[in-house]
Amino acid sequence: APLLFCGALAVVVGEGPHCPHGSFRNATLTFSCGGGAGIIARAQLQEGPPADVAGVVAGVSFFRVTVVSNDSSVELRLYDPVGRRDIVARTGNARVNDRNRSGTFEGVGVVYSREIDTPSLRQHIYLLGTLGSDVVLRLGSSSPKPSVVLLNYSYDGDHDCPQMPAGCAPYDKAAAREVVAVWSKRL
């Protein structure tokens, strides 16, 4: 499984919709027209502010995400990069939080739940409609110990239904060679 680094987060990407032949996965999550589900098999989360884990693209409908962790300090957030504010966060002035477990974002219903079964934690976010703009999933932790998280997601479809699924890109051999060359100079 591919390994992606998102800030203080090392992510092992598990199953999800596959990219077609001649393309590659360029995002943590992929979205196909007919809906689907996936899992990020394991993520090591370090103490620090919330890190971007994955983008959820406009057009995705009825997106659901569950995070399970061995650490009750882990926080799942949903962020609006255009408005530069949290849509869902356990605390603070997010639209949906521990006090207000449901609300709306651009006309789409948003529901949040959190279950603590010491020492583990489950958090859920449900989007009840089709996203009109991109949003970002974030994870943060206030624990000084690394936290292990498991993220499961599902959705009913991508209404924009692009020919190349969101999260995939055409493979370009020359561009890949250049990226590897730049990366190898940092070693």
Side-chain angles (χ1 to χ4, degrees):
L3 179 67
L4 300 175
F5 291 93
C6 307
L9 192 63
V11 179
V12 177
V13 179
E15 287 300 309
H18 297 283
C19 295
H21 182 71
S23 66
F24 70 100
R25 182 183 210 142
N26 68 348
T28 306
L29 304 184
T30 57
F31 299 97
S32 62
C33 298
I39 185 169
I40 295 178
R42 185 188 73 222
Q44 286 279 8
L45 185 62
Q46 302 296 321
E47 179 180 24
D52 293 357
V53 176
V56 182
V57 297
V60 167
S61 63
F62 293 91
F63 180 80
R64 299 163 298 278
V65 62
T66 298
V67 168
V68 180
S69 176
N70 65 334
D71 180 357
S72 62
S73 77
V74 168
E75 183 177 7
L76 172 65
R77 292 183 179 202
L78 186 65
Y79 181 74
D80 171 15
V82 174
R84 295 177 21 195
R85 66 177 285 184
D86 288 316
I87 301 162
V88 176
R90 189 170 63 212
T91 59
N93 56 355
R95 295 171 192 241
V96 178
N97 55 41
D98 263 353
R99 290 185 318 267
N100 302 309
R101 297 290 178 110
S102 63
T104 60
F105 171 69
E106 297 181 352
V108 174
V110 179
V111 178
Y112 168 71
S113 67
R114 183 169 174 259
E115 308 155 28
I116 299 176
D117 183 20
T118 307
S120 66
L121 167 73
R122 289 185 191 280
Q123 295 175 80
H124 312 275
I125 295 176
Y126 305 98
L127 300 179
L128 308 175
T130 302
L131 281 173
S133 61
D134 296 353
V135 295
V136 177
L137 291 173
R138 289 180 162 178
L139 286 173
S141 174
S142 58
S143 174
K145 303 183 314 185
S147 304
V148 176
V149 298
L150 176 70
L151 185 146
N152 294 292
Y153 72 101
S154 63
Y155 63 101
D156 288 356
D158 183 346
H159 286 280
D160 293 341
C161 200
Q163 190 170 7
M164 179 71 64
C168 300
Y171 178 73
D172 179 335
K173 190 174 184 178
R177 185 174 288 128
E178 184 179 324
V179 167
V180 170
V182 169
W183 170 80
S184 68
K185 288 178 183 174
R186 294 189 299 188
L187 296 178

